[in-house]
Amino acid sequence: MSSKTSHCKIVDCTIRDGGLVNNWDFSVEFVQYLYQCLNEAGVDYMEIGYKNSPKLLKGADSAGPWRFLDDGFLRKVIPNKGRTKLSALVDIGRVDENDILPRSESLLDLIRVACYIQDVDKALELVQIFHDRGYETTINIMALSNVMENQLVEAFDLIRESVVDVVYIVDSYGSLKPNDIVYLVDKFRSHLPNKRLGVHTHNNMQLAFANTLTAAEKGVELLDASVYGMGRAAGNCTTELLVAHLQNTKYNVRPVLDMIEKYMIPLREKEEWGYLIPYMITGMLDEHPRSAMALRASADKDKCVDFYDKLTTPEVAHSK
Amino acid sequence: MSSKTSHCKIVDCTIRDGGLVNNWDFSVEFVQYLYQCLNEAGVDYMEIGYKNSPKLLKGADSAGPWRFLDDGFLRKVIPNKGRTKLSALVDIGRVDENDILPRSESLLDLIRVACYIQDVDKALELVQIFHDRGYETTINIMALSNVMENQLVEAFDLIRESVVDVVYIVDSYGSLKPNDIVYLVDKFRSHLPNKRLGVHTHNNMQLAFANTLTAAEKGVELLDASVYGMGRAAGNCTTELLVAHLQNTKYNVRPVLDMIEKYMIPLREKEEWGYLIPYMITGMLDEHPRSAMALRASADKDKCVDFYDKLTTPEVAHSK
């Protein structure tokens, strides 16, 4: 791309968002190899999982360790940290602040707080705690395509006065188009002139990379991606496409291709993500992919027309 | 999308470009069902194959009938034509003009001539013949990303004075980004103010739909697509995404989903197209996908890193 994107940084979310696909069943070797590849590729951040507390989440026992990152475990996984920083995501109400060490005692550099619009106040309380412990912070407002203007403006007032470093535009449903991204970036920028911006996209309509590029060219700084697009449902913007196209000589696509060849192609044989018609349908209807995920897990997984009819017939349509 | 796209028409290329994937091995029932679905979906044109002459093409015997459309055969396939018009593509030097009936005696409405930049003069001679026989015509200039400005300007001078109805911007290598589309549409529009424009994209970098939308919003009128993206190598912009998003109440996505469920998903199990890393690599390097297609047909089909090294090491890189 043009030099318009030289300010950008990539946040690879393969383990965190991809973990939603395989219940975080990544081997330590997988995660170590990914870290090494991302570091060689010049990727700025690796989001290595969630920092939620298993005490606060049902059904936690079956999930891999990347869902409940432990600082001691992390030191064993990444004994030699390179230039790629480490990030973790937390959800409102699922994080125990006592689990969060001061940054000086942790391998983590960045803690990101995901929330829906009505919980921005709670998210900012957590942001304050993490900030005080020395971390870089972001707030990731999910499902923006379903948020009314008045709610958003109220949230902006809180965020503007907070310590948060970066505010994310999150296309949770993969329903946004490049024009929508332009609109949102302009809105965020005008209401939050003192904050840096980030973007997280989904590929339901094959627009994740295009939307991310659009945001980048509009000045958005942190760009989420995952290797081979691995992420919930239709997946994310791919790390390989961003690394290949952002105008920054430090990026090198070859190590990402190495990761894809060694681990991601075999994994894609076992696990499913990407552009599939049920995800396209929930994206075009601007709703959560959960109904499509349920369909893909059933014997009717390819019954696109019935699925479309169910979601578009008013008397039987799921509520969002 | 916005009302900025209400001028657009969709040209479904599933049989013609998809035929490059399966050597045009589509059953008559497949093609008839596709025509019915496209007609119900409100799609404007169906490109039902090539109108090349088998006499002028080596290895023609093994290909399905859609590679060498015969008007009599076509009447049996489509006994009841609906509102969806029919199109055929011809290549320079592979078409026998004696095969082209007057439009009044043919089911075809549109004949498109594909050519490289150096053959624009020859393409326009064919266009004149088809125009004189009553057909709508387009000229599709391939591999624009490898064309120098001076060649393009010379071609524009010829095209401007010709009878051709529509001039296509063709991203043969899937290497263009939305900014490039903006640049090309502006250039075509300024040099060819008397011509309508069309666009044909490939999905090597997951940008086929985004590039097509960008062109549409810039006023491009004919938009090529194929159902489930079926087309050579990484495939095309998908018909289902265009039908779902163009601002035109005549379009209905449900019949396209029906086609996907009944025919395209089973076909994709047997034949391969779409976003695969070798195609991403040729796209990012702005070259023809033939090396990637050869790789995918070999035992080394997933050896992405070796493939990347071969294409990027100067002494062994293929010439374009």
Side-chain angles (χ1 to χ4, degrees):
Chain A
M1 290 310 295
S2 68
S3 58
K4 284 197 257 178
T5 61
S6 58
H7 62 284
C8 292
K9 295 182 167 64
I10 300 173
V11 182
D12 183 88
C13 300
T14 310
I15 301 303
R16 202 269 311 158
D17 206 324
L20 292 160
V21 174
N22 70 346
N23 201 26
W24 296 272
D25 183 19
F26 298 107
S27 69
V28 169
E29 294 71 28
F30 182 107
V31 175
Q32 288 175 324
Y33 203 79
L34 176 62
Y35 182 79
Q36 180 189 318
C37 289
L38 293 175
N39 190 55
E40 288 174 15
V43 170
D44 305 271
Y45 294 87
M46 170 172 169
E47 190 155 85
I48 196 163
Y50 281 92
K51 185 70 183 150
N52 290 331
S53 167
K55 291 168 289 191
L56 300 175
L57 201 55
K58 281 187 297 186
D61 297 344
S62 68
W66 321 104
R67 194 171 190 185
F68 308 103
L69 287 172
D70 173 84
D71 282 288
F73 173 71
L74 206 49
R75 285 198 182 278
K76 289 180 193 151
V77 174
I78 313 281
N80 298 301
K81 198 170 156 190
R83 273 173 300 183
T84 298
K85 292 179 175 180
L86 293 175
S87 163
L89 192 74
V90 303
D91 293 315
I92 301 290
R94 292 179 177 173
V95 59
D96 180 347
E97 61 177 271
N98 298 312
D99 289 346
I100 311 290
L101 296 177
R103 180 175 176 183
S104 57
E105 299 170 30
S106 172
L107 285 189
L108 295 174
D109 302 283
L110 169 65
I111 299 185
R112 314 203 298 171
V113 182
C115 68
Y116 289 102
I117 192 78
Q118 62 272 22
D119 291 325
V120 162
D121 53 346
K122 291 179 194 141
L124 291 174
E125 283 178 14
L126 286 173
V127 160
Q128 182 71 54
I129 292 168
F130 304 144
H131 175 84
D132 290 344
R133 292 184 192 173
Y135 296 95
E136 302 172 40
T137 58
T138 79
I139 180 170
N140 298 25
I141 309 174
M142 298 184 287
L144 279 173
S145 57
N146 280 202
V147 172
M148 288 198 306
E149 176 85 6
N150 60 332
Q151 296 175 292
L152 198 54
V153 169
E154 273 182 44
F156 285 146
D157 290 341
L158 297 174
I159 292 168
R160 201 169 41 243
E161 304 303 321
S162 76
V163 297
V164 75
D165 297 307
V166 178
V167 184
Y168 260 78
I169 294 167
V170 183
D171 180 18
S172 301
Y173 303 159
S175 62
L176 300 181
K177 292 178 281 288
N179 285 348
D180 301 317
I181 297 288
V182 168
Y183 167 80
L184 286 170
V185 173
D186 284 342
K187 180 163 291 293
F188 274 58
R189 189 174 291 293
S190 68
H191 285 269
L192 301 170
N194 60 335
K195 299 299 181 188
R196 293 148 62 202
L197 300 181
V199 70
H200 180 94
T201 60
H202 282 276
N203 205 35
N204 300 58
M205 305 196 300
Q206 299 194 354
L207 291 173
F209 178 47
N211 284 340
T212 304
L213 278 186
T214 299
E217 289 168 9
K218 293 282 295 177
V220 170
E221 186 174 328
L222 290 197
L223 309 179
D224 283 16
S226 57
V227 178
Y228 214 40
M230 186 184 186
R232 190 190 63 192
N236 306 118
C237 175
T238 82
T239 301
E240 62 272 20
L241 285 167
L242 276 188
V243 166
H245 287 98
L246 291 180
Q247 180 70 25
N248 195 324
T249 52
K250 77 173 176 177
Y251 292 130
N252 176 11
V253 75
R254 191 179 185 280
V256 185
L257 299 177
D258 187 7
M259 181 69 199
I260 291 172
E261 178 175 329
K262 188 168 169 110
Y263 282 108
M264 302 310 292
I265 291 173
L267 181 56
R268 183 61 183 78
E269 303 275 315
K270 293 192 301 178
E271 304 282 350
E272 178 179 284
W273 68 88
Y275 178 77
L276 294 157
I277 296 298
Y279 301 138
M280 183 280 252
I281 292 171
T282 60
M284 68 174 270
L285 297 175
D286 189 18
E287 51 179 85
H288 194 286
R290 68 173 68 85
S291 58
M293 293 161 71
L295 184 78
R296 292 303 300 174
S298 78
D300 293 333
K301 64 181 184 168
D302 288 321
K303 301 275 185 209
C304 313
V305 179
D306 276 357
F307 180 70
Y308 176 77
D309 287 345
K310 274 185 193 145
L311 293 194
T312 54
T313 306
E315 60 271 28
V316 297
H318 297 201
S319 65
K320 284 183 189 177
Chain B
M1 289 309 297
S2 69
S3 58
K4 283 196 258 179
T5 60
S6 57
H7 62 284
C8 293
K9 296 182 167 65
I10 300 173
V11 181
D12 184 88
C13 300
T14 309
I15 300 303
R16 202 269 311 159
D17 206 325
L20 292 161
V21 174
N22 70 345
N23 201 25
W24 295 274
D25 183 19
F26 298 107
S27 70
V28 169
E29 293 71 27
F30 182 106
V31 176
Q32 288 175 323
Y33 203 80
L34 175 61
Y35 182 78
Q36 180 189 318
C37 289
L38 294 175
N39 190 53
E40 288 174 15
V43 170
D44 304 271
Y45 294 87
M46 169 172 170
E47 190 156 86
I48 196 163
Y50 281 93
K51 185 70 182 149
N52 290 332
S53 167
K55 291 167 289 190
L56 300 174
L57 202 55
K58 282 186 297 185
D61 297 344
S62 67
W66 321 105
R67 194 170 190 187
F68 308 103
L69 287 173
D70 173 84
D71 283 286
F73 173 72
L74 206 50
R75 285 198 182 277
K76 290 182 193 149
V77 175
I78 313 282
N80 297 302
K81 199 169 157 191
R83 272 173 300 184
T84 298
K85 292 180 175 180
L86 292 175
S87 163
L89 191 75
V90 302
D91 293 315
I92 301 290
R94 291 180 178 174
V95 58
D96 180 347
E97 61 177 271
N98 299 312
D99 290 346
I100 311 290
L101 296 177
R103 180 175 176 183
S104 56
E105 299 169 29
S106 172
L107 285 189
L108 295 174
D109 302 284
L110 169 66
I111 300 185
R112 315 203 297 171
V113 182
C115 68
Y116 289 102
I117 192 80
Q118 62 272 21
D119 291 325
V120 162
D121 53 346
K122 291 178 194 142
L124 291 174
E125 284 177 14
L126 286 174
V127 161
Q128 182 71 54
I129 293 168
F130 304 144
H131 175 84
D132 290 344
R133 293 186 192 171
Y135 296 95
E136 303 172 41
T137 58
T138 79
I139 180 170
N140 297 25
I141 310 173
M142 299 184 287
L144 280 172
S145 58
N146 280 203
V147 172
M148 289 199 305
E149 176 84 6
N150 60 333
Q151 297 175 292
L152 199 54
V153 169
E154 272 182 44
F156 285 146
D157 290 341
L158 297 174
I159 292 168
R160 201 168 43 243
E161 305 304 319
S162 77
V163 297
V164 75
D165 297 307
V166 177
V167 184
Y168 261 78
I169 295 167
V170 183
D171 180 16
S172 302
Y173 304 159
S175 62
L176 300 181
K177 292 179 282 288
N179 286 347
D180 301 317
I181 297 289
V182 168
Y183 167 80
L184 285 171
V185 174
D186 285 342
K187 180 163 292 293
F188 274 58
R189 189 173 291 292
S190 68
H191 285 268
L192 301 170
N194 59 336
K195 298 299 180 188
R196 294 148 62 202
L197 300 181
V199 70
H200 181 93
T201 60
H202 282 277
N203 204 36
N204 300 59
M205 304 196 300
Q206 300 194 353
L207 290 173
F209 178 47
N211 284 341
T212 304
L213 277 186
T214 299
E217 290 169 8
K218 293 282 295 176
V220 171
E221 186 175 327
L222 290 197
L223 311 179
D224 282 17
S226 56
V227 178
Y228 214 40
M230 186 183 188
R232 191 190 63 192
N236 306 118
C237 175
T238 81
T239 302
E240 62 272 20
L241 285 167
L242 276 188
V243 166
H245 287 97
L246 290 181
Q247 180 72 25
N248 195 324
T249 52
K250 78 172 175 177
Y251 291 130
N252 176 11
V253 75
R254 192 179 185 280
V256 185
L257 298 177
D258 187 6
M259 181 70 200
I260 293 172
E261 177 175 329
K262 187 167 170 113
Y263 281 108
M264 301 311 292
I265 291 173
L267 182 56
R268 183 62 183 78
E269 303 275 315
K270 293 192 300 176
E271 303 284 349
E272 177 179 284
W273 68 87
Y275 178 77
L276 292 158
I277 296 298
Y279 301 138
M280 183 280 251
I281 292 171
T282 59
M284 68 175 270
L285 297 175
D286 188 18
E287 53 178 86
H288 194 287
R290 68 174 67 85
S291 58
M293 292 162 71
L295 184 78
R296 292 303 300 174
S298 78
D300 292 333
K301 63 181 185 168
D302 288 321
K303 301 276 186 209
C304 312
V305 178
D306 276 358
F307 179 71
Y308 176 78
D309 287 347
K310 276 186 192 145
L311 292 194
T312 55
T313 306
E315 61 271 27
V316 297
H318 297 201
S319 64
K320 282 183 188 177

